[in-house]
Amino acid sequence: MYYSRLKLASVLGVCLLGLLLCLPNGMRKPLPSIPWRQIHLGLDLRGGSYLLMQVDLQSLTHDRLQTLSENTRDALLNAHLGYQNIAVDAAKGTISFMPRSAAETEADIAALNALPRAVPNEFSVSKREDGSITLVLAPESIRTRAREAVTQSIEIVRRRIDGTGAVDPEITRQGDDRIVVELPGISDPERIKALLGTTAKMSFHLVDANPLHATYPPQGVSLLPMADPAEGGPLPVFDHVDVDGSDLTNAGAVIDQQSGKWAVSFSFDSIGTHAFAAVSQANVGKRFAIVLDNKIIEAPVIMSPITGGNGQITGGFDAQKATDLALMLRAGALPAPLSVIEQRSIGPSLGADSIRAGMISLGVGFIMVVAFMVLFYGRFGWYADFALLANLVLMVAILSLFEATLTLPGMAGMLLTLGMAVDANILINERIREEIARGRTPLAAMQTGFEKATSTIIDSNATALLAHVMLFVFGTGPVRGFALTITIGIVTTLFTTLLLSRMLMARWYARTRPTSLPV
């Protein structure tokens, strides 16, 4: 029960520091010269938007089959093998073709089996009864690629949203092919939807100069529309990707020096620079299409070799469109399109109602606990109530320090923490009562009561701490918010109960030296 001056100053210092960290949450504009940190309000308290997005698995499968079909052509031609009527069926996940002759069937199958696989056992190759050869994607490989695509998409979505300045977005996986995006404070998410709904897959293709192919494109050539219909009709573009947009290292919105309009500048890494230089040197005088999500932004003529690895896109942008396109190119292309399958908006008034209801429940619960402790334990009940208030202050301080997001389940966790903290004080006071009933002196009763209750309090809080840490690690959304406040509350409860409450009792005893205890 002895508290040195250093120990006393340490306990009071922690409480004072917690009070200072809490202050910014009650101020509209904290002093700019001091690095204050505040608690962020979650979607259910602040209002905002909820988006449930789904990865287009059919597009993902189609893109992979297109890549495999090109690899199939290259592998057969390199092996001096012919083929007829090669066809891609994205719905069935197959690539089929007829061999040039029956004698080449086994060689065709061997050449396809040697193709590199993105995942183990990605596809199988077999001969059909009609003599055709079919490459079939395994369903498990499609699911594996879907999970990888969702993981990759989450990171890209996070980079895109962070670039807009949105505060504390919550981006989580749901199932194998869905992503949940929660945007506190954004009640009109149309710009975010436009950013996330755009794959931003950029590639550079040579334009087929044959005028007949603009009407009847042959195999290996596709008619792609212009992004701006005013610039003309579709152009025949070779399917082969001469330069891949994934080799971009930077992009930014700039003002074009010649036209004075907004444009997007970009630069390539060493691989992209080499590929861009090679294709521009070999095709001077030909049109080179810049394709974004299967639409041609522009198709300029290559006037001279471009070896610097830098370029500029001028597509009639305004400031917002140029900024958004540059942001998407910097963040990277999504592996597959994302579609919004559910959208909800929570207005600020509903969030204010939630805050008001949470504060009322927290205040009523706190007042009832205070009344109970004073009624049953007198002066020691007042000390427990003071420690309870300090506990609440320290919880808010720690949440502020880490700029945590407070949700409605988090407020419920704070209220539950107050009840758990009271349990610890009740254990101590009841132990002291038992020791007084056994005839011990006041000092001995206080000392023994704390000693016997401390191990019980630590054991019970340690098990609760482990459980809620696991909830935080493996939970999502509201569960994590609840677990976070409980976890912080357990730590602050141990401090206020075992140090602050004991200090208040010890200082009172040292000052008054009572003959009996008010408990």
Side-chain angles (χ1 to χ4, degrees), residues 304-375:
S304 60
I306 304 172
T307 59
N310 299 312
Q312 187 171 282
I313 305 171
T314 56
F317 303 111
D318 57 20
Q320 187 67 66
K321 290 182 179 179
T323 301
D324 288 348
L325 177 57
L327 170 61
M328 289 185 289
L329 295 179
R330 287 197 306 270
L334 291 168
L338 291 175
S339 57
V340 178
I341 61 176
E342 183 181 350
Q343 176 181 343
R344 297 199 304 267
S345 293
I346 300 175
S349 59
L350 184 58
D353 291 341
S354 299
I355 295 175
R356 191 179 304 110
M359 294 302 294
I360 290 174
S361 62
L362 193 62
V364 171
F366 185 81
I367 291 173
M368 293 181 68
V369 168
V370 168
F372 174 84
M373 293 301 293
V374 172
L375 181 63

Side-chain angles (χ1 to χ4, degrees), residues 233-270:
L235 291 178
V237 175
F238 289 103
D239 292 338
H240 177 72
V241 177
D242 292 288
V243 184
D244 198 333
S246 61
D247 297 327
L248 289 172
T249 58
N250 195 19
V254 297
I255 298 291
D256 184 22
Q257 298 298 324
Q258 297 181 354
S259 65
K261 296 181 180 180
W262 283 97
V264 177
S265 64
F266 59 87
S267 57
F268 288 105
D269 59 14
S270 58

